[in-house]
Amino acid sequence: MARHLIKAARARGDTSLPGIDSISHNIYRWERGTVGLTERYKLYYCVALGISPDDFGAEEPEQPEDLSGFSAGEVAVLDLVAGVVGLWREFRREMAIIREGEGPDGLAGMEAGAHGRSS
């Protein structure tokens, strides 16, 4: 996933991402909820997954209440999917705020601010 995020960033002209080890560590932290995912990386997830922000995480995954019949790997996948859905919901809330509060320059201003540049 780290490689895909780096590729997505470069496709958008962003060459300032850290190396693969740092991004992998960040993914680990995002998946566990240690830190929140920034708008910048949320957009790169959408690009990496080849989906629009409206389609990303549209359905909530069903998780069985009793996970005893699942292997550790299957439970990890379920946790990952649940984490991605949570990130998607946060992303949609933030995008709604941007669209409603900042007008047509909201997204451009956000991206410029994330990189320390002005538009």
Short mmCIF file of all heavy atoms in Angstrom, two decimals, residues 70-112:
data_model
loop_
_atom_site.label_atom_id
_atom_site.label_comp_id
_atom_site.label_asym_id
_atom_site.label_seq_id
_atom_site.Cartn_x
_atom_site.Cartn_y
_atom_site.Cartn_z
N PHE A 70 -12.54 -17.52 13.08
CA PHE A 70 -11.67 -16.90 12.08
C PHE A 70 -10.22 -17.01 12.49
O PHE A 70 -9.88 -16.98 13.67
CB PHE A 70 -12.03 -15.42 11.91
CG PHE A 70 -13.36 -15.20 11.27
CD1 PHE A 70 -14.50 -15.09 12.04
CD2 PHE A 70 -13.47 -15.09 9.89
CE1 PHE A 70 -15.74 -14.88 11.46
CE2 PHE A 70 -14.71 -14.88 9.30
CZ PHE A 70 -15.84 -14.77 10.09
N SER A 71 -9.36 -17.12 11.48
CA SER A 71 -7.92 -17.15 11.76
C SER A 71 -7.46 -15.74 12.13
O SER A 71 -8.18 -14.76 11.90
CB SER A 71 -7.16 -17.62 10.52
OG SER A 71 -7.20 -16.63 9.51
N ALA A 72 -6.27 -15.64 12.68
CA ALA A 72 -5.71 -14.33 13.04
C ALA A 72 -5.60 -13.44 11.81
O ALA A 72 -5.87 -12.23 11.88
CB ALA A 72 -4.34 -14.51 13.70
N GLY A 73 -5.24 -14.01 10.68
CA GLY A 73 -5.14 -13.23 9.44
C GLY A 73 -6.48 -12.70 8.98
O GLY A 73 -6.59 -11.56 8.54
N GLU A 74 -7.52 -13.52 9.11
CA GLU A 74 -8.86 -13.08 8.72
C GLU A 74 -9.37 -11.97 9.63
O GLU A 74 -9.97 -10.99 9.17
CB GLU A 74 -9.83 -14.27 8.73
CG GLU A 74 -9.56 -15.27 7.62
CD GLU A 74 -10.30 -16.57 7.80
OE1 GLU A 74 -10.60 -16.96 8.95
OE2 GLU A 74 -10.59 -17.21 6.77
N VAL A 75 -9.09 -12.08 10.92
CA VAL A 75 -9.49 -11.03 11.86
C VAL A 75 -8.73 -9.75 11.54
O VAL A 75 -9.30 -8.65 11.58
CB VAL A 75 -9.25 -11.48 13.32
CG1 VAL A 75 -9.44 -10.32 14.29
CG2 VAL A 75 -10.18 -12.63 13.68
N ALA A 76 -7.46 -9.87 11.18
CA ALA A 76 -6.68 -8.69 10.82
C ALA A 76 -7.26 -8.00 9.59
O ALA A 76 -7.34 -6.77 9.53
CB ALA A 76 -5.22 -9.07 10.57
N VAL A 77 -7.70 -8.78 8.61
CA VAL A 77 -8.32 -8.20 7.41
C VAL A 77 -9.62 -7.50 7.79
O VAL A 77 -9.91 -6.39 7.32
CB VAL A 77 -8.55 -9.27 6.33
CG1 VAL A 77 -9.42 -8.74 5.21
CG2 VAL A 77 -7.22 -9.75 5.78
N LEU A 78 -10.43 -8.11 8.63
CA LEU A 78 -11.67 -7.47 9.09
C LEU A 78 -11.38 -6.16 9.80
O LEU A 78 -12.07 -5.16 9.59
CB LEU A 78 -12.46 -8.42 10.00
CG LEU A 78 -13.10 -9.62 9.33
CD1 LEU A 78 -13.67 -10.57 10.38
CD2 LEU A 78 -14.19 -9.20 8.36
N ASP A 79 -10.36 -6.15 10.65
CA ASP A 79 -9.97 -4.92 11.35
C ASP A 79 -9.51 -3.86 10.37
O ASP A 79 -9.84 -2.68 10.52
CB ASP A 79 -8.87 -5.20 12.36
CG ASP A 79 -9.35 -5.94 13.59
OD1 ASP A 79 -10.58 -5.94 13.83
OD2 ASP A 79 -8.51 -6.50 14.30
N LEU A 80 -8.75 -4.26 9.35
CA LEU A 80 -8.27 -3.31 8.34
C LEU A 80 -9.44 -2.69 7.58
O LEU A 80 -9.51 -1.48 7.41
CB LEU A 80 -7.33 -4.01 7.36
CG LEU A 80 -6.85 -3.17 6.18
CD1 LEU A 80 -6.05 -1.98 6.66
CD2 LEU A 80 -6.03 -4.02 5.24
N VAL A 81 -10.39 -3.52 7.16
CA VAL A 81 -11.56 -3.02 6.43
C VAL A 81 -12.35 -2.06 7.31
O VAL A 81 -12.76 -0.99 6.87
CB VAL A 81 -12.44 -4.18 5.93
CG1 VAL A 81 -13.76 -3.68 5.39
CG2 VAL A 81 -11.69 -4.98 4.86
N ALA A 82 -12.54 -2.41 8.57
CA ALA A 82 -13.27 -1.52 9.49
C ALA A 82 -12.53 -0.20 9.65
O ALA A 82 -13.15 0.87 9.69
CB ALA A 82 -13.45 -2.20 10.84
N GLY A 83 -11.20 -0.25 9.71
CA GLY A 83 -10.41 0.98 9.82
C GLY A 83 -10.53 1.85 8.59
O GLY A 83 -10.66 3.07 8.69
N VAL A 84 -10.52 1.23 7.42
CA VAL A 84 -10.65 1.99 6.17
C VAL A 84 -12.02 2.65 6.10
O VAL A 84 -12.15 3.80 5.71
CB VAL A 84 -10.39 1.08 4.95
CG1 VAL A 84 -10.78 1.78 3.65
CG2 VAL A 84 -8.92 0.67 4.89
N VAL A 85 -13.06 1.93 6.52
CA VAL A 85 -14.41 2.51 6.52
C VAL A 85 -14.45 3.71 7.46
O VAL A 85 -15.02 4.75 7.12
CB VAL A 85 -15.47 1.45 6.91
CG1 VAL A 85 -16.82 2.09 7.19
CG2 VAL A 85 -15.59 0.41 5.81
N GLY A 86 -13.83 3.60 8.62
CA GLY A 86 -13.79 4.72 9.55
C GLY A 86 -13.06 5.92 8.96
O GLY A 86 -13.52 7.06 9.08
N LEU A 87 -11.95 5.66 8.30
CA LEU A 87 -11.21 6.74 7.64
C LEU A 87 -12.04 7.37 6.54
O LEU A 87 -12.03 8.59 6.36
CB LEU A 87 -9.89 6.21 7.07
CG LEU A 87 -8.86 5.78 8.08
CD1 LEU A 87 -7.68 5.12 7.39
CD2 LEU A 87 -8.40 6.96 8.91
N TRP A 88 -12.75 6.54 5.80
CA TRP A 88 -13.60 7.07 4.73
C TRP A 88 -14.68 7.98 5.28
O TRP A 88 -14.95 9.05 4.74
CB TRP A 88 -14.22 5.93 3.92
CG TRP A 88 -15.24 6.43 2.97
CD1 TRP A 88 -16.56 6.15 2.96
CD2 TRP A 88 -15.03 7.35 1.90
NE1 TRP A 88 -17.18 6.83 1.96
CE2 TRP A 88 -16.26 7.58 1.29
CE3 TRP A 88 -13.90 8.01 1.41
CZ2 TRP A 88 -16.42 8.43 0.22
CZ3 TRP A 88 -14.05 8.86 0.33
CH2 TRP A 88 -15.30 9.07 -0.25
N ARG A 89 -15.30 7.58 6.37
CA ARG A 89 -16.35 8.42 6.96
C ARG A 89 -15.78 9.77 7.40
O ARG A 89 -16.38 10.81 7.20
CB ARG A 89 -16.99 7.70 8.12
CG ARG A 89 -17.88 6.57 7.66
CD ARG A 89 -18.64 5.96 8.81
NE ARG A 89 -19.55 4.96 8.28
CZ ARG A 89 -19.78 3.81 8.87
NH1 ARG A 89 -19.20 3.51 10.00
NH2 ARG A 89 -20.62 2.96 8.32
N GLU A 90 -14.61 9.73 8.01
CA GLU A 90 -13.95 10.97 8.43
C GLU A 90 -13.62 11.83 7.21
O GLU A 90 -13.83 13.04 7.21
CB GLU A 90 -12.67 10.64 9.20
CG GLU A 90 -11.92 11.84 9.70
CD GLU A 90 -10.63 11.46 10.39
OE1 GLU A 90 -10.53 10.36 10.94
OE2 GLU A 90 -9.71 12.29 10.36
N PHE A 91 -13.13 11.20 6.17
CA PHE A 91 -12.81 11.90 4.93
C PHE A 91 -14.04 12.58 4.35
O PHE A 91 -14.01 13.74 3.96
CB PHE A 91 -12.22 10.90 3.92
CG PHE A 91 -12.05 11.44 2.54
CD1 PHE A 91 -11.03 12.33 2.26
CD2 PHE A 91 -12.90 11.05 1.51
CE1 PHE A 91 -10.85 12.83 0.98
CE2 PHE A 91 -12.75 11.55 0.23
CZ PHE A 91 -11.72 12.45 -0.03
N ARG A 92 -15.16 11.88 4.29
CA ARG A 92 -16.40 12.45 3.74
C ARG A 92 -16.88 13.63 4.57
O ARG A 92 -17.34 14.63 4.03
CB ARG A 92 -17.48 11.38 3.64
CG ARG A 92 -17.15 10.38 2.53
CD ARG A 92 -18.26 9.46 2.29
NE ARG A 92 -19.41 10.23 1.77
CZ ARG A 92 -20.30 9.75 0.93
NH1 ARG A 92 -20.19 8.51 0.52
NH2 ARG A 92 -21.30 10.47 0.54
N ARG A 93 -16.75 13.53 5.90
CA ARG A 93 -17.14 14.66 6.75
C ARG A 93 -16.27 15.87 6.45
O ARG A 93 -16.77 16.99 6.32
CB ARG A 93 -17.01 14.28 8.23
CG ARG A 93 -18.15 13.45 8.76
CD ARG A 93 -18.11 13.34 10.28
NE ARG A 93 -16.92 12.67 10.77
CZ ARG A 93 -16.80 11.36 10.93
NH1 ARG A 93 -17.82 10.57 10.63
NH2 ARG A 93 -15.69 10.83 11.39
N GLU A 94 -14.97 15.66 6.34
CA GLU A 94 -14.06 16.76 6.05
C GLU A 94 -14.32 17.36 4.68
O GLU A 94 -14.30 18.57 4.51
CB GLU A 94 -12.60 16.29 6.16
CG GLU A 94 -12.18 15.90 7.55
CD GLU A 94 -12.16 17.07 8.51
OE1 GLU A 94 -11.83 18.20 8.08
OE2 GLU A 94 -12.50 16.88 9.68
N MET A 95 -14.57 16.53 3.69
CA MET A 95 -14.86 17.03 2.34
C MET A 95 -16.15 17.84 2.33
O MET A 95 -16.24 18.85 1.64
CB MET A 95 -14.93 15.88 1.34
CG MET A 95 -13.58 15.23 1.07
SD MET A 95 -12.30 16.37 0.50
CE MET A 95 -12.96 16.83 -1.09
N ALA A 96 -17.15 17.42 3.09
CA ALA A 96 -18.40 18.17 3.16
C ALA A 96 -18.16 19.54 3.77
O ALA A 96 -18.70 20.55 3.29
CB ALA A 96 -19.43 17.39 3.97
N ILE A 97 -17.32 19.60 4.79
CA ILE A 97 -16.99 20.89 5.41
C ILE A 97 -16.29 21.78 4.42
O ILE A 97 -16.61 22.97 4.30
CB ILE A 97 -16.12 20.66 6.67
CG1 ILE A 97 -16.96 20.00 7.76
CG2 ILE A 97 -15.52 21.97 7.15
CD1 ILE A 97 -16.15 19.47 8.92
N ILE A 98 -15.35 21.22 3.68
CA ILE A 98 -14.61 22.01 2.69
C ILE A 98 -15.54 22.52 1.60
O ILE A 98 -15.51 23.69 1.24
CB ILE A 98 -13.46 21.17 2.08
CG1 ILE A 98 -12.39 20.93 3.13
CG2 ILE A 98 -12.89 21.85 0.84
CD1 ILE A 98 -11.38 19.89 2.75
N ARG A 99 -16.38 21.64 1.09
CA ARG A 99 -17.30 22.03 0.01
C ARG A 99 -18.29 23.09 0.47
O ARG A 99 -18.61 24.00 -0.27
CB ARG A 99 -18.03 20.81 -0.51
CG ARG A 99 -17.16 19.91 -1.33
CD ARG A 99 -17.96 18.77 -1.93
NE ARG A 99 -17.07 17.88 -2.66
CZ ARG A 99 -16.99 16.58 -2.46
NH1 ARG A 99 -17.78 16.00 -1.59
NH2 ARG A 99 -16.15 15.85 -3.15
N GLU A 100 -18.79 22.98 1.67
CA GLU A 100 -19.79 23.91 2.17
C GLU A 100 -19.18 25.22 2.66
O GLU A 100 -19.76 26.28 2.46
CB GLU A 100 -20.59 23.28 3.31
CG GLU A 100 -21.46 22.14 2.86
CD GLU A 100 -22.07 21.38 4.03
OE1 GLU A 100 -21.95 21.85 5.18
OE2 GLU A 100 -22.68 20.33 3.79
N GLY A 101 -18.02 25.14 3.27
CA GLY A 101 -17.47 26.32 3.93
C GLY A 101 -16.49 27.16 3.16
O GLY A 101 -16.31 28.33 3.46
N GLU A 102 -15.87 26.61 2.15
CA GLU A 102 -14.80 27.36 1.52
C GLU A 102 -15.02 27.61 0.04
O GLU A 102 -14.16 28.16 -0.62
CB GLU A 102 -13.47 26.63 1.72
CG GLU A 102 -13.10 26.53 3.19
CD GLU A 102 -11.69 26.05 3.38
OE1 GLU A 102 -10.87 26.19 2.47
OE2 GLU A 102 -11.41 25.52 4.45
N GLY A 103 -16.12 27.21 -0.49
CA GLY A 103 -16.41 27.51 -1.89
C GLY A 103 -15.53 26.74 -2.84
O GLY A 103 -14.93 25.73 -2.50
N PRO A 104 -15.42 27.22 -4.09
CA PRO A 104 -14.72 26.47 -5.13
C PRO A 104 -13.22 26.32 -4.89
O PRO A 104 -12.59 25.43 -5.42
CB PRO A 104 -15.00 27.27 -6.40
CG PRO A 104 -15.35 28.63 -5.93
CD PRO A 104 -15.99 28.47 -4.58
N ASP A 105 -12.62 27.19 -4.06
CA ASP A 105 -11.18 27.10 -3.82
C ASP A 105 -10.84 26.28 -2.59
O ASP A 105 -9.69 26.17 -2.21
CB ASP A 105 -10.58 28.50 -3.65
CG ASP A 105 -10.64 29.30 -4.94
OD1 ASP A 105 -10.62 28.67 -6.02
OD2 ASP A 105 -10.73 30.53 -4.87
N GLY A 106 -11.83 25.66 -1.97
CA GLY A 106 -11.60 24.92 -0.74
C GLY A 106 -10.59 23.80 -0.89
O GLY A 106 -9.65 23.71 -0.14
N LEU A 107 -10.75 22.95 -1.88
CA LEU A 107 -9.85 21.82 -2.07
C LEU A 107 -8.47 22.28 -2.49
O LEU A 107 -7.47 21.82 -1.96
CB LEU A 107 -10.42 20.84 -3.11
CG LEU A 107 -9.65 19.55 -3.32
CD1 LEU A 107 -9.53 18.79 -2.00
CD2 LEU A 107 -10.31 18.69 -4.36
N ALA A 108 -8.40 23.25 -3.40
CA ALA A 108 -7.09 23.76 -3.84
C ALA A 108 -6.35 24.40 -2.66
O ALA A 108 -5.16 24.21 -2.49
CB ALA A 108 -7.27 24.76 -4.97
N GLY A 109 -7.09 25.14 -1.85
CA GLY A 109 -6.47 25.77 -0.69
C GLY A 109 -5.98 24.76 0.31
O GLY A 109 -4.92 24.91 0.91
N MET A 110 -6.75 23.68 0.50
CA MET A 110 -6.35 22.64 1.42
C MET A 110 -5.07 21.96 0.94
O MET A 110 -4.14 21.75 1.69
CB MET A 110 -7.46 21.59 1.57
CG MET A 110 -7.07 20.43 2.46
SD MET A 110 -8.26 19.10 2.41
CE MET A 110 -8.10 18.55 0.73
N GLU A 111 -5.01 21.61 -0.35
CA GLU A 111 -3.84 20.94 -0.88
C GLU A 111 -2.62 21.85 -0.82
O GLU A 111 -1.53 21.41 -0.48
CB GLU A 111 -4.10 20.49 -2.32
CG GLU A 111 -5.06 19.32 -2.38
CD GLU A 111 -5.38 18.91 -3.80
OE1 GLU A 111 -5.16 19.70 -4.74
OE2 GLU A 111 -5.86 17.79 -3.98
N ALA A 112 -2.78 23.13 -1.13
CA ALA A 112 -1.66 24.05 -1.05
C ALA A 112 -1.18 24.19 0.38
O ALA A 112 0.01 24.20 0.64
CB ALA A 112 -2.06 25.42 -1.62
#
